[in-house]
Amino acid sequence: MTLIQILIGLGLEYFLGSLDRIRDFAWFDRYSRWFELRCSRHRYWDGPAGVVVTLLLPLLALLAAAYLLGMVSPVLVFLLGIAVFVYSLGTDVHTLLNRYREALEQGREDQAGDLEDALGVKTETDRTSEEASLEAILFRSHENIFAVLFWFLVLGMVGALLYRLVARLDNRYDGVHGGYAEAVRDLHRLLMWPSARLQALGFGLSGSLVHALELWREVPGHSLDCSAAVVGRSGLGALQYQPAGGGAEGGRGYSEWISEVQALINRNLIIWLTVLGVMTLGGWLI
């Protein structure tokens, strides 16, 4: 059942094109600001309790909707799960990368800059920033696809929506100090931890496993603090990344490496779906 929902959701994204137009989270931004204005004066707010209260109401509303629909027909709950999964996926990474590559190749710097902001990549073009930009793209695939997929598997539609709302809050409070902002970041790191490492393992299986594990082991920092680096470094290792002018004959340019990153993300997704298929056939996944 879960695998079928995932396949239908991903199939809708593939055949209907990017569904970003339906992913409007302005309601959550308004709701969280409204809630903050009314609760920030309370002592409990500036910490984990405030984050839990913020997230609890939307998730309870989703559970209530699923319960009411279930009283009518289980099919409606099934369809709701697909809708929430698609809604919780981030901006379509492949659409962004196709447009980004096209803008780079045609020299449309303004458009490329906007897409770099959407992808979270660096705007410089030197060797260091090229590597960091590719890592950022790999991590964007985690935030927009693999983390949502993982938590949908673990907690169903509630897990998928939970991850998207936490990521939204983390983006909003980026660079902000305080107990609430720190609690948001800690929760996001906690939720990232398992999916990031499974994605890194998938990169190794869909590319060079030896090189992926080698760069993974080089990642410094505490385990909850370095999930983005784990995804980025293992992905570059799987690709056996060599920057242009790095000493390898016929080295690829930046645009070509973006294509390689896209292919790696696709192969990783196929591996995940294959494993889920085996788990479903084995009765380990409902």
Side-chain angles (χ1 to χ4, degrees):
M1 187 73 73
T2 303
L3 178 60
I4 294 174
Q5 288 176 305
I6 291 171
L7 290 175
I8 292 175
L10 294 176
L12 288 173
E13 187 88 28
Y14 180 80
F15 289 109
L16 299 181
S18 176
L19 299 175
D20 294 338
R21 58 189 178 276
I22 71 170
R23 298 188 181 105
D24 183 4
F25 285 90
W27 65 268
F28 181 69
D29 296 335
R30 291 192 296 268
Y31 155 78
S32 59
R33 290 191 185 98
W34 174 86
F35 217 70
E36 182 179 8
L37 287 174
R38 281 151 183 79
C39 299
S40 57
R41 63 181 178 274
H42 298 290
R43 185 171 57 184
Y44 77 86
W45 175 262
D46 197 29
V51 177
V52 171
V53 172
T54 302
L55 296 169
L56 192 59
L57 290 180
L59 297 179
L60 286 177
L62 175 60
L63 286 174
Y67 176 76
L68 293 174
L69 290 175
M71 294 177 65
V72 179
S73 172
V75 175
L76 295 178
V77 181
F78 177 81
L79 295 176
L80 177 64
I82 296 172
V84 172
F85 173 69
V86 172
Y87 181 64
S88 300
L89 291 171
T91 305
D92 184 51
V93 174
H94 291 293
T95 299
L96 288 176
L97 289 177
N98 286 335
R99 292 168 55 197
Y100 181 42
R101 227 170 1 96
E102 183 178 330
L104 289 174
E105 291 169 355
Q106 296 181 5
R108 300 199 299 267
E109 295 183 2
D110 291 342
Q111 183 182 4
D114 293 339
L115 293 167
E116 285 168 345
D117 290 338
L119 290 165
V121 306
K122 305 296 182 181
T123 57
E124 296 85 358
T125 56
D126 58 27
R127 173 178 174 179
T128 302
S129 66
E130 174 183 296
E131 185 171 329
S133 297
L134 292 174
E135 289 185 27
I137 292 170
L138 290 164
F139 181 62
R140 182 59 53 194
S141 73
H142 171 269
E143 293 294 273
N144 291 16
I145 304 172
F146 293 95
V148 175
L149 198 161
F150 174 83
W151 286 107
F152 185 77
L153 289 169
V154 174
L155 297 176
M157 65 180 86
V158 172
L161 185 60
L162 170 65
Y163 192 86
R164 179 53 52 219
L165 297 183
V166 171
R168 186 93 180 179
L169 277 177
D170 194 11
N171 184 64
R172 177 185 168 191
Y173 285 94
D174 184 31
V176 177
H177 299 287
Y180 187 92
E182 288 298 327
V184 168
R185 282 189 282 271
D186 288 341
L187 179 56
H188 191 196
R189 291 169 186 157
L190 183 64
L191 293 177
M192 277 194 288
W193 194 92
S195 52
R197 279 136 188 90
L198 287 175
Q199 185 180 4
L201 180 60
F203 282 151
L205 295 176
S206 53
S208 172
L209 180 60
V210 172
H211 291 86
L213 294 178
E214 181 180 347
L215 291 190
W216 182 352
R217 285 194 295 267
E218 293 177 0
V219 174
H222 301 293
S223 59
L224 288 180
D225 298 333
C226 59
S227 293
V230 167
V231 172
R233 299 305 293 166
S234 63
L236 292 186
L239 290 172
Q240 295 180 271
Y241 168 75
Q242 291 288 338
E249 290 187 18
R252 298 183 178 91
Y254 183 42
S255 181
E256 292 176 284
W257 280 115
I258 292 175
S259 297
E260 292 293 325
V261 165
Q262 285 183 272
L264 181 69
I265 293 170
N266 285 332
R267 293 195 300 270
N268 198 353
L269 185 57
I270 290 171
I271 288 175
W272 275 48
L273 295 177
T274 301
V275 172
L276 295 181
V278 173
M279 292 175 65
T280 301
L281 292 174
W284 301 321
L285 182 66
I286 299 176

